[in-house]
Amino acid sequence: MGASLRKEETKIESPDNSSDVSMPQWRVRLVLAVVLLFLFGLVYRLVFLQVSEQEFLKNQGDLRMVRTEIDPAHRGLITDRNGEPLAVSTPVESIWLNPKYFPSLENVNLALLASLLDLREVALRKKIEASAGRQFLYLKRHMPPEQAAKVLELGIKGLYSQREYKRFYPAGEVTSHLIGFTNLDDEGQEGIELAFNDWLVGEPGSRTVIKDLQGRVIRHVRQDSEARDGKDLALSIDLRLQYLAYKALKEAVIKHRAESGSAVVMDVATGEVLAMVNQPSYNPNDRSRLKVNSLRNRAVTDSFEPGSTIKAFTVATALASGRYAASTKINTSPGYIRVGRKTIRDHANYGQLDLTGIIKKSSNVGTTKLAQNLGSDLIWSTLFRAGFGQAPGTGFPGEGNGILPMQREFRPIELATLSYGYGLAATPLQLANAYTSFGNNGFRPEVTLLARSAQDLVSIRQEKVMPERVAAQVLQMLETVTHKGGTAKRAAVPFYRVGGKTGTVHKVGRDGYQDDKYVAYFAGLAPISDPRYSVVVTINGPSGDRYYGGEVAAPVFSEVVSAAMRLNNIAPDAFDTTAMVR
């Protein structure tokens, strides 16, 4: 047995004594078998992966390298009626980083990077340190392309640029309340930008790309969908007139140290808003110091009692009733009238006044007596048809309805105050729209902030407010207000016939009407021979001794109308300026 064991041994020469050391053959065979089995398993696995799992592995690889990138859509252009740009989108770059590949802050010139990004170094450091574990972080949005290129030239790993669009407003604060603005993601936040966001926004496209491990695009695979740009929008605004109206209003608000002001210019026949301005305003291109109080488009959202501007509608109601003619005399002596426990006064004892005189002298007593005879139903109906108490329907965010009390029966004092503009409220836009009826043969056109095409003009929706003959009569009465002896001589425009009505109302405070706070109005039309424009100017809270509509609002009307006549080459219709003493 010992001999047989020796036969199974392998002899190996010993390194020290050159004698043979034996290794069992079964161990050699075992090792060889394990190696062969491992090689067989490896080959089998390779064949299995290449044949059975090829599609799965390909998809897994794509998931790690193939990406879908969004191509931003170009937001639609907003223009004025003549094609002048009011809101445009310009290409910008946004710098972002992938913190996973961004080097340690000790290996980055952070001071230089912060300088190029217009950021404080401390703030940038905190921002990057707080992003640990994330894969995406914006460092700076909406940078000029040339500035972003300098950032990328630093060659910092994990730092990338993304193409976006930024909204720019060429007219700045002049159109800010009307146009509004977008946020960093190019979504409308205020004004027209918000109201027509779905029209302007467009639809982003997408493309498939291959990126390396650091997120850099190394190959464009395919364009999945093309970006569809937003649609352009043409407004009814005339930017030239908008500039001039803004200048005139701003000067008046500063001069009279007023709290705020608004002005609206409308096309009498088409209902298009040709200018709409407010004070205070803001610069939509730099909102770093924006005050919330400056955001409102006051011409559309803010309602005040319109005061004596309503007297024109009371007189129109009287004429339309058939009970009065323009020459009918009303006794306003002794300059006041008692209604219940309240005394209603005029500025003076005007004695006998015809209806023209009531408008020219702005007699509260005269309109009160008309209202007492006419009753509330007739006056309320005229005001409602003129658009009071109803939203103009422009679709502008926050558009005000104003207030027109709906009552079965007005108390005598409520009827009296309604006749001269108290007890109801209107926005400047509503008042301008109401006054179009005097220049448009008694019809009030639907308001629009969009430019109307020739086809649109054929089918404008209009509300009949009063008979044509009544509108013509009141129009002539309104002209006398701007002549000598009227309440708005400063509204006169040399060589043109203009007309309108002043209004001055006490503001309402916590304890009722305030004796020393006013809102001043002027609502008018021009030219009287062939009315083209309805203009309303509102000065809220003028300070000092001058606070009447004829003193603070009427001059703005004169300046705006004068500019409109020049811009549109409207021929003069009045060469006798002796009556137009300003």
Side-chain angles (χ1 to χ4, degrees):
M1 184 175 180
S4 63
L5 287 173
R6 285 193 294 270
K7 290 180 182 179
E8 292 294 329
E9 295 174 348
T10 300
K11 295 183 178 180
I12 301 176
E13 184 177 315
S14 173
D16 51 353
N17 55 14
S18 300
S19 62
D20 293 337
V21 178
S22 299
M23 176 181 287
Q25 285 288 332
W26 66 271
R27 291 185 179 179
V28 175
R29 292 171 183 166
L30 178 61
V31 170
L32 183 61
V34 170
V35 171
L36 290 175
L37 184 62
F38 175 78
L39 289 175
F40 176 78
L42 183 62
V43 171
Y44 174 79
R45 184 61 179 171
L46 289 173
V47 173
F48 176 77
L49 293 176
Q50 288 295 321
V51 176
S52 301
E53 299 293 317
Q54 182 180 21
E55 189 64 28
F56 172 78
L57 293 174
K58 180 179 181 300
N59 291 338
Q60 290 297 308
D62 288 346
L63 289 175
R64 289 159 175 78
M65 298 180 62
V66 179
R67 295 287 185 271
T68 298
E69 288 202 334
I70 300 299
D71 292 330
H74 193 277
R75 192 174 177 88
L77 180 71
I78 300 178
T79 69
D80 81 337
R81 65 186 304 106
N82 300 313
E84 291 294 325
L86 302 177
V88 296
S89 291
T90 57
V92 290
E93 299 290 334
S94 291
I95 299 297
W96 64 279
L97 67 83
N98 186 336
K100 183 178 179 181
Y101 300 109
F102 194 74
S104 62
L105 294 178
E106 290 73 20
N107 298 325
V108 176
N109 188 341
L110 203 61
L112 177 58
L113 178 59
S115 175
L116 292 175
L117 292 173
D118 291 330
L119 297 174
R120 292 173 55 222
E121 182 180 352
V122 175
L124 180 59
R125 179 182 295 275
K126 289 181 178 179
K127 194 172 186 178
I128 295 175
E129 289 175 345
S131 68
R134 297 168 58 182
Q135 293 187 352
F136 186 91
L137 173 68
Y138 275 123
L139 291 184
K140 184 75 172 183
R141 300 286 300 274
H142 294 181
M143 295 180 65
E146 61 275 10
Q147 187 178 351
K150 293 179 181 179
V151 174
L152 296 179
E153 286 173 3
L154 297 178
I156 301 175
K157 290 184 178 180
L159 202 62
Y160 311 103
S161 177
Q162 175 179 307
R163 170 60 59 89
E164 293 182 320
Y165 290 99
K166 180 182 180 181
R167 210 62 162 161
F168 175 68
Y169 304 96
E173 64 183 66
V174 174
T175 58
S176 59
H177 290 113
L178 179 64
I179 304 301
F181 55 83
T182 60
N183 61 13
L184 282 173
D185 295 318
D186 221 18
E187 298 170 338
Q189 300 296 293
E190 291 285 340
I192 293 294
E193 292 277 33
L194 174 59
F196 293 91
N197 186 66
D198 291 343
W199 177 270
L200 295 165
V201 74
E203 185 176 330
S206 63
R207 54 195 170 95
T208 301
V209 298
I210 294 179
K211 293 185 176 182
D212 62 14
L213 291 176
Q214 295 184 0
R216 295 172 298 192
V217 176
I218 59 176
R219 191 166 59 131
H220 176 87
V221 178
R222 64 179 177 272
Q223 188 74 38
D224 299 310
S225 62
E226 295 288 344
R228 291 194 300 176
D229 292 339
K231 304 183 191 72
D232 295 341
L233 191 67
L235 301 187
S236 57
I237 299 299
D238 185 330
L239 185 56
R240 302 168 302 170
L241 187 57
Q242 181 84 1
Y243 269 115
L244 293 167
Y246 182 80
K247 175 179 176 291
L249 179 69
K250 186 173 183 178
E251 288 175 350
V253 168
I254 293 173
K255 178 180 179 181
H256 298 287
R257 292 173 288 136
E259 297 175 22
S260 62
S262 300
V264 176
V265 182
M266 285 187 62
D267 187 301
V268 165
T270 68
E272 294 170 295
V273 176
L274 304 177
M276 179 183 285
V277 295
N278 298 276
Q279 277 292 304
S281 189
Y282 66 94
N283 183 358
N285 298 309
D286 180 10
R287 302 193 291 274
S288 58
R289 298 182 180 179
L290 179 64
K291 296 180 180 179
V292 176
N293 190 45
S294 299
L295 280 175
R296 293 200 315 278
N297 186 346
R298 300 169 189 272
V300 176
T301 64
D302 287 15
S303 299
F304 296 103
E305 289 176 311
S308 295
T309 59
I310 293 299
K311 291 174 181 174
F313 296 97
T314 302
V315 169
T317 305
L319 291 169
S321 71
R323 306 175 195 176
Y324 296 88
S327 59
T328 302
K329 298 288 185 179
I330 303 293
N331 184 13
T332 66
S333 293
Y336 61 86
I337 185 174
R338 190 80 177 172
V339 179
R341 291 181 294 177
K342 182 177 176 61
T343 300
I344 297 171
R345 300 180 182 277
D346 283 339
H347 288 291
N349 181 3
Y350 298 122
Q352 294 284 335
L353 290 176
D354 59 14
L355 298 196
T356 300
I358 289 175
I359 293 290
K360 185 174 183 178
K361 296 298 183 181
S362 194
S363 173
N364 294 333
V365 175
T367 52
T368 296
K369 288 192 171 183
L370 291 177
Q372 289 174 332
N373 180 263
L374 295 169
S376 59
D377 287 347
L378 289 179
I379 294 177
W380 189 93
S381 296
T382 299
L383 294 175
F384 183 77
R385 291 194 300 271
F388 295 103
Q390 308 167 67
T394 62
F396 195 91
E399 182 179 64
N401 295 334
I403 300 172
L404 180 61
M406 297 184 67
Q407 299 175 210
R408 290 186 175 181
E409 191 66 37
F410 284 80
R411 292 184 297 137
I413 188 59
E414 292 173 334
L415 176 57
T417 56
L418 186 68
S419 73
Y420 56 82
Y422 280 81
L424 73 161
T427 65
L429 178 60
Q430 284 179 304
L431 189 57
N433 185 220
Y435 261 70
T436 59
S437 61
F438 296 122
N440 192 38
N441 301 319
F443 288 89
R444 176 178 60 87
E446 184 180 21
V447 184
T448 181
L449 295 170
L450 305 180
R452 283 192 158 131
S453 64
Q455 184 177 357
D456 294 333
L457 296 177
V458 178
S459 56
I460 297 175
R461 188 166 63 86
Q462 302 195 62
E463 176 78 20
K464 186 174 182 180
V465 180
M466 63 194 75
E468 181 178 347
R469 62 171 181 83
V470 170
Q473 287 177 299
V474 175
L475 192 63
Q476 302 302 316
M477 295 176 184
L478 292 173
E479 184 178 11
T480 66
V481 174
T482 64
H483 289 181
K484 187 175 181 179
T487 59
K489 298 190 295 288
R490 296 183 182 183
V493 178
F495 306 109
Y496 290 95
R497 296 173 58 197
V498 300
K501 187 71 192 73
T502 57
T504 308
V505 297
H506 289 278
K507 292 183 67 173
V508 178
R510 295 178 61 181
D511 300 318
Y513 289 106
Q514 299 173 287
D515 293 335
D516 58 345
K517 297 290 185 181
Y518 302 90
V519 181
Y521 289 94
F522 187 83
L525 301 115
I528 293 298
S529 59
D530 183 17
R532 293 278 301 275
Y533 306 108
S534 172
V535 182
V536 167
V537 178
T538 305
I539 306 295
N540 174 31
S543 301
D545 296 332
R546 293 186 175 182
Y547 52 82
Y548 287 109
E551 295 176 310
V552 299
V556 179
F557 169 88
S558 176
E559 191 170 343
V560 172
V561 168
S562 179
M565 299 301 179
R566 293 195 309 271
L567 288 173
N568 293 285
N569 297 317
I570 296 177
D573 61 347
F575 297 96
D576 180 9
T577 61
T578 57
M580 296 183 287
V581 180
R582 299 184 60 182

